[in-house]
Amino acid sequence: MSVSPSVFSVQDLDFYYGSKRSLSKISLEIQPRKVTALIGPSGCGKSTFLRCLNRMNDTIAETRVEGKILLNGKNIYDADMDVVTLRQRVGMVFQKPNPFPQSIYDNVAFGPRVMGMNVNLDDVVEKSLRAAALWDDVKDNLKSDALGLSLGQQQRLCIARVVAVQPEVILMDESTSALDPIATARIEELIAELKQDYTIVIVTHNMQQAARVSDYTGLFWLGELIEFSPTETMFTVPKQELTEAYITGKMG
């Protein structure tokens, strides 16, 4: 069986806040149309790593990267990489829902409008809301204020907003941590559906969530990638003692 080429190939990645190195020699391959979960204790570097994948860390002063992150073979830190295009290709859903104070329709249409995409906006809005499992909830209220939605609906709206610009990858940074269990379950079901069309990378504190939704899991610890393997392997026969200790609750 042939293995698909990686979407992301991360090679010896170091990341610095000023003189402090917060990621050290991270290397991993992220496979297409799979869910990759990043786990580990708070402050271990997993969100920093996630933000390296679409250069969100560029917005923070005095940060720098060493090593390579290849997106379909092209180093995203090359000087000729257009960051706006990169963030369209690699969309991000944040920890707390952040809909714009606009209508539901305008939230989803925002990206295609700003990017000047030659598309039928009505079609894009409907398709994106359907992809985010939100269409049936809001189809009769597209002109109503997005801030009137429940938190779970707002997070699905943010996913629809990302989907609307036709990304290749969706990054999700603890995107269910602010939600109740029912809303969390709906997002997890949505992740399973979205991976049919998108490569997904999630950061989660919830190891049960990682076990439920991901195909691959990486354990970060003090800025290092301790172990990276198929999720079933990591949760049943981890290679590293530290991984076993973290997963069983003895450490972390």
Side-chain angles (χ1 to χ4, degrees):
M1 189 179 87
S2 62
V3 177
S4 300
S6 304
V7 173
F8 275 114
S9 177
V10 182
Q11 302 171 5
D12 287 331
L13 181 74
D14 291 342
F15 181 81
Y16 294 83
Y17 291 104
S19 60
K20 179 180 180 291
R21 183 162 70 173
S22 62
L23 293 175
S24 179
K25 295 289 178 274
I26 308 293
S27 294
L28 59 85
E29 305 288 319
I30 293 175
Q31 301 302 319
R33 298 190 181 184
K34 301 290 184 186
V35 180
T36 298
L38 309 176
I39 62 172
S42 295
C44 66
K46 54 191 187 296
S47 288
T48 296
F49 173 76
L50 193 74
R51 291 164 64 93
C52 287
L53 296 177
N54 68 347
R55 293 183 52 175
M56 285 293 288
N57 289 320
D58 288 15
T59 62
I60 304 169
E62 296 184 15
T63 59
R64 64 187 170 90
V65 165
E66 295 176 1
K68 292 181 178 179
I69 299 179
L70 305 181
L71 173 59
N72 294 323
K74 167 77 173 168
N75 188 1
I76 67 170
Y77 284 91
D78 281 353
D80 62 349
M81 173 60 72
D82 180 75
V83 178
V84 173
T85 302
L86 172 66
R87 291 178 189 154
Q88 176 259 315
R89 294 173 65 192
V90 186
M92 193 159 198
V93 181
F94 296 92
Q95 184 170 359
K96 292 182 179 172
N98 60 342
F100 303 137
Q102 301 173 332
S103 71
I104 293 166
Y105 184 101
D106 287 339
N107 264 269
V108 183
F110 179 84
R113 280 176 176 151
V114 167
M115 300 189 71
M117 294 170 66
N118 185 21
V119 292
N120 181 311
L121 281 178
D122 289 352
D123 289 347
V124 168
V125 169
E126 179 175 347
K127 186 177 178 183
S128 302
L129 288 168
R130 285 189 184 279
L134 192 58
W135 175 251
D136 289 341
D137 293 5
V138 303
K139 62 185 178 184
D140 298 323
N141 302 294
L142 294 176
K143 296 301 181 186
S144 60
D145 188 346
L147 299 179
L149 297 171
S150 70
L151 275 180
Q153 289 173 323
Q154 287 184 22
Q155 194 65 300
R156 280 183 283 144
L157 178 65
C158 293
I159 292 169
R161 198 170 64 197
V162 167
V163 167
V165 296
Q166 302 169 4
E168 297 161 44
V169 182
I170 300 175
L171 310 178
M172 306 179 85
D173 192 0
E174 303 220 36
S175 55
T176 62
S177 63
L179 306 182
D180 63 55
I182 293 171
T184 295
R186 293 199 71 178
I187 297 286
E188 289 183 4
E189 290 168 6
L190 179 56
I191 289 170
E193 293 167 17
L194 287 171
K195 80 171 184 180
Q196 296 173 45
D197 298 304
Y198 305 97
T199 301
I200 301 175
V201 187
I202 68 168
V203 163
T204 180
H205 271 114
N206 185 329
M207 281 184 287
Q208 290 77 22
Q209 182 174 76
R212 283 192 298 265
V213 307
S214 70
D215 302 288
Y216 295 89
T217 299
L219 172 64
F220 279 74
W221 195 276
L222 298 176
E224 296 184 5
L225 182 63
I226 301 301
E227 185 166 344
F228 184 78
S229 62
T231 298
E232 187 176 356
T233 302
M234 180 173 283
F235 280 89
T236 53
V237 283
K239 299 181 184 71
Q240 304 295 332
E241 286 184 21
L242 181 55
T243 308
E244 185 173 7
Y246 183 72
I247 286 172
T248 57
K250 294 173 187 166
M251 291 184 70

